[in-house]
Amino acid sequence: APALKLGVASYSLAKLPVEGVIEVLKQLEITGVSLYKSHAPWADGTPEQCRAVVQKFSDAGITVTSTGMIELPNDEAVVRKALDNVRAAGLTTFCGWLKQTDSLPLLNKLVKEYDLKVAIHNHGPTEALATGMDVWKAVQPYDKRIGLCLDVAHGFRAGENPAETIRQCHERLYEVHLRDTMVTGGAMKDPQPAVVGHGLLDFRSIIAALLEVKYPCQAEFEYEKKEDNRVPGLAESVGYVRGMLAAMATGSKT
């Protein structure tokens, strides 16, 4: 088995239809995907629609491991609708976004009832939950099914060392978004995305930490450089990390 499961967040390919996403993932030899709302309507679609999309990926040999970010307001009807769709599609984990932490008690009740894990996404310096550690602290009082989706670049922009967070929070680390950025620190609105390996993040330390804690879930490339065709940049990002993993496996320092 590979030392680290690599996947893609279909947000990277938001402009492509489902068939196009499948085609790109096959080219990249990626067999796991988290599905963005433009591909599977988690919040406002029907259980049948969501199940049908997941089936298309399944038929193509690709596992849908999670969702794109689903907004989780303190509104039971809204959250239930999304969870019904996630469960109907056969998923066991989904990615969530909290504007405020006031919805955590509601979420706590519902993840127990549905027996679903939620990976709460940290959202950088302009948001309430800026870093993975912020999420970790917020979810401590609640059921273990509520954990983290660590976005390494957003956390880094808010002053976080992602490798340290991986080590400290791995018990509840259910998803990782791999991406790079050209900016550091402060309340920069623009995340200035970059091809992985071309930005400021130390991916060697991040990958080493994931291997060290034997991270069992999926690390996903979330590539969002403002380009009409994101496939080359996404492919280069995947290749960079695969090369690094291969070098680490043989113990070389390239």
Side-chain angles (χ1 to χ4, degrees):
L4 186 61
K5 291 182 199 144
L6 297 179
V8 163
S10 79
Y11 176 61
S12 313
L13 304 165
K15 289 179 180 163
L16 294 181
V18 164
E19 292 70 22
V21 174
I22 289 171
E23 200 176 301
V24 171
L25 295 180
K26 287 190 140 173
Q27 285 170 5
L28 297 176
E29 296 178 16
I30 290 279
T31 56
V33 67
S34 65
L35 282 188
Y36 184 56
K37 63 186 178 188
S38 66
H39 300 124
W42 303 113
D44 48 15
T46 65
E48 295 70 30
Q49 282 174 309
C50 293
R51 193 185 295 124
V53 176
V54 170
Q55 189 62 50
K56 280 186 184 174
F57 281 88
S58 249
D59 292 345
I62 298 163
T63 306
V64 178
T65 53
S66 185
T67 67
M69 289 191 311
I70 296 173
E71 198 176 324
L72 301 168
N74 196 10
D75 179 329
E76 186 160 343
V78 170
V79 179
R80 258 186 203 283
K81 184 169 170 61
L83 267 57
D84 284 337
N85 287 337
V86 168
R87 184 167 65 181
L91 272 59
T92 55
T93 303
F94 67 100
C95 180
W97 176 39
L98 306 180
K99 272 188 181 163
Q100 305 292 336
T101 53
D102 63 348
S103 54
L104 277 167
L106 167 67
L107 196 55
N108 195 53
K109 179 181 97 166
L110 293 179
V111 294
K112 288 182 193 171
E113 181 188 322
Y114 284 79
D115 190 21
L116 288 168
K117 281 182 180 165
V118 56
I120 307 280
H121 191 275
N122 63 295
H123 225 63
T126 56
E127 299 273 337
L129 296 172
T131 65
M133 281 311 290
D134 291 337
V135 176
W136 173 256
K137 286 172 190 151
V139 304
Q140 282 313 297
Y142 301 104
D143 191 272
K144 286 237 181 341
R145 279 166 277 219
I146 304 180
L148 288 77
C149 172
L150 176 65
D151 185 302
V152 297
H154 279 329
F156 173 81
R157 288 193 303 117
E160 175 167 57
N161 175 345
E164 280 306 303
T165 300
I166 289 162
R167 287 194 187 92
Q168 287 183 47
C169 308
H170 64 93
E171 286 162 32
R172 287 200 192 192
L173 186 59
Y174 301 144
E175 202 166 348
V176 172
H177 283 168
L178 298 176
R179 54 180 178 158
D180 215 337
T181 177
M182 300 307 289
V183 286
T184 180
M188 291 284 294
K189 253 305 206 209
D190 178 10
Q192 290 189 29
V195 171
V196 170
H198 289 209
L200 300 174
L201 272 82
D202 175 5
F203 273 90
R204 173 168 280 282
S205 72
I206 290 167
I207 300 299
L210 290 169
L211 294 174
E212 188 185 307
V213 302
K214 296 184 167 58
Y215 173 64
C217 309
Q218 186 164 274
E220 294 154 1
F221 294 89
E222 192 182 44
Y223 181 67
E224 56 169 15
K225 214 168 164 195
K226 290 177 177 55
E227 298 171 327
D228 285 336
N229 180 7
R230 288 182 179 168
V231 177
L234 177 60
E236 194 178 335
S237 298
V238 173
Y240 178 81
V241 172
R242 279 190 177 140
M244 185 174 273
L245 284 165
M248 285 174 156
T250 59
S252 75
K253 286 277 178 279
T254 48

